[in-house]
Amino acid sequence: MASIHSSKTRPFASHQTVTPCTRTHQIGALALVIITFFVTRIFDQSLNSSSFSTPTSGQYRSKNDVVRFSDSGGSIFWPQRGYGTHLSLKIYVYDENEIDGLKHLLYGRDGKISPDSCVKGQWGTQVKIHRMLLQSRFRTRKKEEADLFFVPAYPKCVRVMGGLNDKEINQTYVKVLSQMPYFRLSGGRNHIFVFPSGAGAHLFKSWVTYLNRSIILTPEGDRTDKRDTSAFNTWKDIIIPGNIDDGMTTHGSRIVEPLPLSKRKHLANYLGRAQGKVGRLRLIELSKQYPDKLECPELKFSGPDKLGRKEYFEHLRNAKFCLAPRGESSWTLRFYESFFVECVPVILSDQAELPFQNVIDYSQISIKWPSTHIGTELLDYLESIPDKDIDEMIARGQKIRCLFAYTPESDSCSAFNAIMWELQRKVRQFHQSSETFWLHNRTIVNRNLVEFSKWKPPMPLP
């Protein structure tokens, strides 16, 4: 019997030749792998055309990148996990005429407060975000297709300018919310409110009862010194930048231009009032001991010696480090302003929360120093940092400061577009509350089994 390995079972065996794998073949295979790698990278770069996008695997920033950039270096990446691959929001903006009382939260009880007055200063975000949404491509005029609902109100401005007192603000908010069926439907989970100051949502005294599930946009991540409970919840709310003077954030000529490090008079400065706060008082005392190193001028915000906006920024730009201690609340506008005069911000506020932490590595563009160690130790440390390192931190800050500017939506790198990305994380497909129920045919009803389309205001609130 023939063997199963005989040539008869392999009629073509005699014609087969085996070519040995030589060193030449190995080098050729390696070259092919290298060429394929570089061609693939070039192709991937050509697809990155938008300034805001999300990274694919392998494109997340390394520990040495201040933000997630594309390989070409021009696109800021937002992480795909939780954010999605592109912005596709639909936001309904309540009209001032459709809800009784909403005008009072915008213009005061007498309707005499101008939004143009409210848009100025560090609290101007309450107006700017509203105005941008009204013109935004993300706005929808159909409530039934909205992902989120924006409730316009300028409570800080109205309160400061005497348009409403605290009691009136509280009563008006409750009245407004009771007229919103979609707020009732979700328990407020898909409704957005802006509170632009250190008081946060405390401007609405009953926020704990009515807004504890809503999305709050605020620069303040900690309770104010006068409150026992923080109104900020890191899992549902969004930290936003404060409103920087437009004259420093617009393209082209600014109020002042940065100075070279070699021409700056001081090592550090603090521009602000003492307000009786320990950290600020320590800095003022320190500046008296070391006037050549630390500048803390006495600022006057009224009267003939009032410091003008140009003079303010001229002082701010004249130091290598801009100190940002806690005041009435944990956030301070000086942190954001420092990026536009190009000094390195030093956070002296332990509870401060910062915006857009999923894309910005703040350890590369700023310093956070314990407020309990404000003294000569701080000045010695700052003085020990080489100018080369300071220049590098400033350069990295230049890359991301566009995220702190409330420029038009057409500027793809802006605070507004960054807020839209953060809001997209909050979108839910399904909405419910303790006072909403549903039936077998998907009909949404209230506790009295009344269909959603027939809910009539005023409605009981959660």
Side-chain angles (χ1 to χ4, degrees):
M1 176 179 292
S3 168
I4 58 173
H5 297 294
S6 69
S7 61
K8 292 183 180 180
T9 62
R10 294 183 284 121
F12 302 105
S14 61
H15 301 287
Q16 290 180 343
T17 58
V18 179
T19 303
C21 181
T22 65
R23 184 172 183 81
T24 301
H25 290 92
Q26 293 173 341
I27 294 173
L30 179 60
L32 181 60
V33 170
I34 294 172
I35 292 171
T36 302
F37 172 76
F38 282 106
V39 169
T40 301
R41 285 176 66 87
I42 293 172
F43 178 73
D44 286 343
Q45 288 180 20
S46 68
L47 297 178
N48 292 327
S49 58
S50 65
S51 295
F52 278 98
S53 52
T54 56
T56 56
S57 59
Q59 288 180 315
Y60 288 96
R61 71 165 181 258
S62 71
K63 64 181 180 180
N64 296 319
D65 295 331
V66 65
V67 291
R68 295 179 175 128
F69 283 109
S70 67
D71 293 331
S72 60
S75 301
I76 296 178
F77 278 130
W78 291 75
Q80 184 171 339
R81 186 175 63 181
Y83 288 91
T85 58
H86 62 282
L87 283 172
S88 59
L89 278 174
K90 292 184 178 180
I91 301 176
Y92 181 86
V93 182
Y94 284 102
D95 186 88
E96 62 186 47
N97 295 308
E98 72 174 292
I99 304 293
D100 185 24
L102 199 53
K103 282 187 175 181
H104 290 170
L105 291 174
L106 294 167
Y107 315 120
R109 71 179 77 84
D110 300 323
K112 296 181 179 179
I113 296 177
S114 168
D116 291 335
S117 300
C118 298
V119 79
K120 299 175 183 178
Q122 60 181 326
W123 307 317
T125 52
Q126 58 195 329
V127 180
K128 286 187 175 180
I129 294 174
H130 179 205
R131 287 179 172 177
M132 290 179 180
L133 278 173
L134 289 175
Q135 304 298 323
S136 176
R137 62 189 174 95
F138 303 118
R139 182 188 180 188
T140 178
R141 288 171 171 79
K142 298 179 180 179
K143 293 179 181 177
E144 62 273 14
E145 70 176 19
D147 299 311
L148 299 168
F149 295 79
F150 182 82
V151 182
Y154 312 148
K156 183 64 178 181
C157 181
V158 167
R159 182 179 183 273
V160 170
M161 300 186 72
L164 293 175
N165 58 38
D166 289 345
K167 183 178 180 180
E168 290 172 323
I169 289 175
N170 198 75
Q171 292 173 340
T172 306
Y173 262 114
V174 174
K175 178 181 179 180
V176 165
L177 297 178
S178 69
Q179 299 172 68
M180 297 177 171
Y182 280 90
F183 183 88
R184 173 71 167 177
L185 177 66
S186 67
R189 289 173 173 86
N190 57 354
H191 280 58
I192 307 164
F193 299 83
V194 179
F195 292 101
S197 71
H202 288 291
L203 288 168
F204 174 24
K205 302 292 186 182
S206 299
W207 73 266
V208 176
T209 301
Y210 301 109
L211 302 187
N212 60 79
R213 295 175 179 84
S214 299
I215 302 168
I216 295 172
L217 308 184
T218 179
E220 179 53 53
D222 182 55
R223 60 181 176 273
T224 65
D225 291 350
K226 300 174 183 178
R227 309 293 179 183
D228 294 326
T229 304
S230 174
F232 176 77
N233 183 322
T234 187
W235 302 111
K236 70 177 184 65
D237 302 327
I238 297 171
I239 292 293
I240 61 174
N243 183 47
I244 304 169
D245 193 305
D246 289 340
M248 291 300 296
T249 62
T250 51
H251 301 298
S253 179
R254 300 179 188 169
I255 298 173
V256 302
E257 295 297 332
L259 294 173
L261 287 185
S262 60
K263 294 186 177 181
R264 302 189 188 189
K265 185 177 180 180
H266 301 283
L267 171 68
N269 63 31
Y270 162 61
L271 300 183
R273 295 171 294 172
Q275 296 180 308
K277 305 305 175 185
V278 174
R280 296 184 175 200
L281 291 171
R282 285 178 181 168
L283 289 176
I284 292 172
E285 186 62 31
L286 199 61
S287 70
K288 294 176 181 178
Q289 299 176 41
Y290 304 94
D292 294 337
K293 295 181 180 181
L294 176 60
E295 181 193 28
C296 293
E298 182 180 354
L299 299 186
K300 296 182 179 180
F301 294 93
S302 60
D305 297 326
K306 176 182 178 181
L307 191 69
R309 58 202 286 254
K310 183 177 181 181
E311 290 76 18
Y312 171 82
F313 286 111
E314 284 177 340
H315 275 282
L316 200 63
R317 71 173 179 171
N318 212 8
K320 297 177 180 180
F321 299 95
C322 292
L323 308 185
R326 182 183 178 116
E328 286 289 346
S329 56
S330 65
W331 88 280
T332 169
L333 190 65
R334 273 172 293 281
F335 172 80
Y336 302 105
E337 291 172 333
S338 64
F339 289 99
F340 294 88
V341 297
E342 298 182 6
C343 61
V344 176
V346 180
I347 304 169
L348 302 173
S349 178
D350 301 347
Q351 290 81 23
E353 289 279 349
L354 303 174
F356 319 134
Q357 294 184 36
N358 278 331
V359 292
I360 301 176
D361 180 355
Y362 283 97
S363 67
Q364 298 197 49
I365 58 176
S366 64
I367 295 168
K368 186 179 180 184
W369 184 267
S371 62
T372 50
H373 287 263
I374 294 176
T376 55
E377 183 182 7
L378 169 61
L379 294 183
D380 291 343
Y381 166 70
L382 296 178
E383 199 168 24
S384 71
I385 301 175
D387 281 357
K388 177 178 177 294
D389 293 350
I390 298 173
D391 275 325
E392 289 175 353
M393 293 182 76
I394 290 172
R396 290 192 288 264
Q398 290 172 343
K399 293 182 179 181
I400 58 88
R401 66 186 180 189
C402 52
L403 294 174
F404 303 148
Y406 288 89
T407 52
E409 184 181 326
S410 56
D411 291 349
S412 54
C413 181
S414 67
F416 180 79
N417 280 301
I419 291 169
M420 294 301 104
W421 275 107
E422 293 294 343
L423 284 173
Q424 185 153 283
R425 292 186 75 198
K426 310 298 182 182
V427 173
R428 300 183 181 189
Q429 182 178 356
F430 187 76
H431 297 285
Q432 67 150 98
S433 74
S434 59
E435 294 300 320
T436 56
F437 306 87
W438 52 91
L439 307 180
H440 77 284
N441 57 0
R442 302 175 63 190
T443 300
I444 303 296
V445 297
N446 63 14
R447 187 172 293 277
N448 295 321
L449 302 181
V450 177
E451 292 184 21
F452 174 68
S453 61
K454 297 179 181 178
W455 292 6
K456 302 296 181 184
M459 292 159 291
L461 291 170

